[in-house]
Amino acid sequence: MYAQMVTSEATKDSPEKLAAFQARIDAGEQIEPKDWMPEGYRKTLIRQIGQHAHSEIVGQLPEGNWITRAPTLERKANLLAKVQDEAGHGLYLYCAAETLGVTRDELTRMLLDGRMKYSSIFNYPTLTWADMGAVGWLVDGAAIMNQVPLQRTSYGPYARAMVRICKEESFHQRQGFHIMMAMAGGSSDQRRMAQDALNRFWFPALMMFGPSDKDSVHSAQSMAWKIKMNTNDELRQKFVDETVPQAEYLGLTIPDPDLAWNEEEGHYSFTEPDWSEFFEVIAGNGPCNVDRITARRTAWDDGAWVRDALMAHAEKSAARKMAAE
């Protein structure tokens, strides 16, 4: 229904309609599924929400690998609950994307054939239990930094989905920090594992905010439409400023020899990530890209019979309802 409505209207992007739409955005109004929107706005939202949904689903893979190997029953239960949350986040976001006229099946096909991506961070391996702490502390911490402003994004279904997601992500971040506290305050081996996890995940976490503003293709228009509320570099700087004191509290060292407090600017100066590595990972050449996509493709193929059965059941139910009428 939404697909037909939006596609027909998208051919009528007159200057007057575009100006009226932008005036609504500038006034702080939220756009709802049945409202008129420019085709570019719709496509940008599909790309962003779809990639966000895929990231939540793919993000379960490195964590699910540790559920049976977590050191205590409590840690197992906590990690299992977190993975369950991530699955729910993916479903909320797929539902939000569906209001834009795209099905979750279409989104999955776009992921599997390379037309759509997911967060680069999930293409790095989780080698030790300390990595579960680093993922919760750094990765979910970066996710919160990205996602809290999205509660004010201009598209209503996306903004509303983010309210619950952000509440649950804050729990995930605290869970990760608690793991790092235990590791950093434990034996010399545990402390070494915690520092190693920080060393490996620090720069990939900085990459989660996207490329530098000067190299970001979509940021300017997304900011104008208030799909994004902050630039990549603004969020990255805020993440560094908030995370460095946390590392100091843990007694761990950020793996950046150039990290220093800039009194004049009121921020930490830090080394930019290796953007060539970022673009290599995005292109599919990261340590775990093949494994992640293979896992998603296997799940898609193995679940075909379930989808077929559900469709057959829905068709039979609809036929019985029509016959009864």
Side-chain angles (χ1 to χ4, degrees):
M1 177 178 68
Y2 292 128
Q4 294 173 350
M5 177 276 298
V6 174
T7 302
S8 63
E9 288 294 312
T11 62
K12 305 176 184 177
D13 289 5
S14 67
E16 293 78 11
K17 279 195 170 186
L18 291 172
F21 180 82
Q22 189 62 53
R24 291 188 63 191
I25 297 292
D26 295 341
E29 294 183 33
Q30 282 195 328
I31 308 301
E32 296 299 335
K34 291 186 178 181
D35 295 342
W36 182 87
M37 64 187 72
E39 181 66 5
Y41 180 83
R42 187 183 75 91
K43 288 183 176 180
T44 298
L45 281 168
I46 289 174
R47 176 184 57 81
Q48 181 167 324
I49 299 173
Q51 291 182 0
H52 191 168
H54 294 323
S55 298
E56 297 286 355
I57 299 301
V58 174
Q60 298 174 95
L61 298 174
E63 295 170 329
N65 185 44
W66 279 95
I67 291 174
T68 60
R69 296 187 286 163
T72 68
L73 182 59
E74 180 182 9
R75 294 293 192 196
K76 285 180 171 64
N78 289 344
L79 187 56
L80 183 62
K82 179 183 179 183
V83 171
Q84 183 178 13
D85 286 347
E86 306 293 7
H89 297 174
L91 294 179
Y92 304 152
L93 293 164
Y94 285 134
C95 288
E98 284 179 322
T99 67
L100 292 159
V102 62
T103 68
R104 65 188 68 188
D105 284 2
E106 290 171 325
L107 292 170
T108 301
R109 292 189 189 99
M110 285 191 277
L111 172 68
L112 296 180
D113 67 21
R115 286 177 290 158
M116 193 168 276
K117 306 294 183 181
Y118 55 89
S119 180
S120 59
I121 192 69
F122 299 120
N123 290 309
Y124 291 86
T126 48
L127 304 177
T128 71
W129 172 247
D131 288 10
M132 290 296 94
V135 166
W137 172 38
L138 299 176
V139 175
D140 292 318
I144 292 170
M145 204 68 68
N146 266 317
Q147 293 170 10
V148 166
L150 293 176
Q151 295 174 101
R152 307 190 311 277
T153 192
S154 62
Y155 189 58
Y158 194 20
R160 290 189 288 274
M162 294 314 304
V163 174
R164 179 168 180 175
I165 290 174
C166 287
K167 288 179 180 178
E168 293 177 348
E169 291 290 0
S170 66
F171 162 75
H172 301 165
Q173 195 271 346
R174 291 195 298 272
Q175 178 185 337
F177 190 74
H178 190 266
I179 293 172
M180 294 300 279
M181 282 183 61
M183 299 292 286
S187 67
S188 58
D189 284 341
Q190 289 174 317
R191 185 177 183 81
R192 186 165 56 251
M193 289 167 64
Q195 182 64 58
D196 174 65
L198 172 56
N199 292 348
R200 286 184 287 106
F201 276 94
W202 174 252
F203 284 108
L206 295 187
M207 296 177 191
M208 287 180 64
F209 299 97
S212 178
D213 290 345
K214 67 180 185 298
D215 299 319
S216 181
V217 176
H218 303 288
S219 284
Q221 184 60 74
S222 292
M223 293 281 289
W225 279 330
K226 295 187 180 179
I227 293 174
K228 285 180 62 173
M229 309 302 292
N230 303 91
T231 71
N232 297 348
D233 288 342
E234 287 172 350
L235 293 172
R236 191 168 12 254
Q237 182 68 65
K238 185 177 181 182
F239 174 76
V240 172
D241 290 345
E242 293 192 11
T243 306
V244 171
Q246 296 170 6
E248 292 174 348
Y249 177 83
L250 293 172
L252 300 176
T253 302
I254 300 291
D256 181 356
D258 296 325
L259 182 72
W261 177 254
N262 187 316
E263 192 69 40
E264 182 177 339
E265 295 184 359
H267 296 291
Y268 282 96
S269 299
F270 61 94
T271 302
E272 287 281 314
D274 181 351
W275 292 117
S276 63
E277 176 183 329
F278 171 78
F279 287 111
E280 275 291 295
V281 173
I282 290 296
N285 301 317
C288 296
N289 287 70
V290 173
D291 291 342
R292 303 299 186 232
I293 290 297
T294 298
R296 292 301 300 127
R297 181 172 286 108
T298 299
W300 174 254
D301 293 343
D302 289 350
W305 71 272
V306 178
R307 297 192 299 275
D308 292 342
L310 289 172
M311 287 300 296
H313 176 73
E315 290 169 2
K316 288 182 179 179
S317 297
R320 284 195 297 267
K321 183 178 180 180
M322 289 182 64
E325 293 174 352

